[in-house]
Amino acid sequence: MEDAEFDRALVASAFSLAGEEGWRRLSVAEAARRAGLSLDRARARFPARSVLLLRFGRLADQAVLAEAGKDGSPRDRLFDLLMRRLDVLQAHRAGVLALLRWLPAAPAAAALLAGANLCSMRWMLDGAGIDSHGLRGRLRVKGLLAVWLWGVRAWQADESEDLAAAMAALDQALGWAEQVEQRLHPEAQATGPSTPASAAEPPPLA
């Protein structure tokens, strides 16, 4: 089994286990045993639960970027990438919800994921063909993080199969972001999000 396949199997097992028993009680070793994976390799690749969280976010980004399209406007491409990222969360819904419930009691993990999310949002912008460099790029990254968290909040409450409410929330937040960037940079067409003026941020997620 290649490393990438091993990682996906262990992450899936861990989030399934967390959905049943909660994140606080999650053990990487138990997740490995449940998935029939070797403990020594699990120890080598996932020495702490924090590594598991970061790997989950990285695997989500890779899955999304592997299908990044070139058609449509930059905003449309960005919306598609963010929705695909929500689809990844949906595939591990019980475990992700357990993680979100646990994060307020784990400030170190929340801070770690906040930083990882900023990195992920830069990749989402780059994947959509939107400049993420310089001062304007940094503002776009922070703004897109607010958009993403707004969408995650809607996703938490959305129990529909098509995630219509989460989709609408993302679209609305991207609209706010465009309006803000157009006000900040009226000399150019908006090509990416700045900080949505009305986005109240929920706990961070990988």
Side-chain angles (χ1 to χ4, degrees):
M1 181 183 294
E2 295 184 355
D3 286 345
E5 185 181 358
F6 183 94
D7 291 353
R8 287 192 295 268
L10 197 147
V11 166
S13 179
F15 274 80
S16 175
L17 189 60
E20 298 172 11
E21 301 184 2
W23 197 266
R24 184 179 63 85
R25 299 180 58 188
L26 176 66
S27 161
V28 173
E30 182 57 31
R33 277 192 289 266
R34 173 177 287 204
L37 302 172
S38 65
L39 291 180
D40 59 329
R41 193 173 180 187
R43 172 63 178 85
R45 298 195 58 76
F46 295 87
R49 288 190 303 178
S50 59
V51 177
L52 193 152
L53 292 177
L54 295 176
R55 196 69 50 80
F56 176 67
R58 185 178 301 174
L59 290 171
D61 292 344
Q62 291 171 347
V64 168
L65 293 169
E67 300 185 26
K70 297 181 180 179
D71 299 329
S73 67
R75 184 189 189 277
D76 290 341
R77 294 195 296 267
L78 187 57
F79 175 79
D80 183 64
L81 289 172
L82 294 178
M83 277 305 303
R84 289 181 185 276
R85 209 165 190 268
L86 282 183
D87 287 340
V88 174
L89 301 191
Q90 184 70 5
H92 304 279
R93 184 176 180 87
V96 174
L97 292 177
L99 173 61
L100 291 171
R101 290 192 295 269
W102 173 73
L103 281 177
L112 180 71
L113 289 180
N117 270 320
L118 283 173
C119 181
S120 292
M121 294 305 104
R122 185 177 299 279
W123 273 104
M124 296 301 103
L125 287 168
D126 290 343
I130 298 172
D131 186 11
S132 65
H133 299 89
L135 176 58
R136 188 182 297 192
R138 290 195 295 273
L139 290 174
R140 285 173 175 165
V141 170
K142 292 180 179 179
L144 187 58
L145 178 60
V147 169
W148 169 248
L149 295 175
W150 187 265
V152 170
R153 170 173 286 179
W155 171 81
Q156 287 180 261
D158 188 353
E159 298 182 355
S160 66
E161 291 187 4
D162 60 1
L163 300 181
M167 185 183 303
L170 274 179
D171 186 60
Q172 181 184 49
L174 283 172
W176 290 335
E178 280 190 318
Q179 292 173 19
V180 171
E181 177 147 339
Q182 288 168 357
R183 289 198 297 270
L184 292 175
H185 304 285
E187 75 285 357
Q189 287 186 343
T191 56
S194 182
T195 305
S198 305
E201 297 184 9
L205 180 65

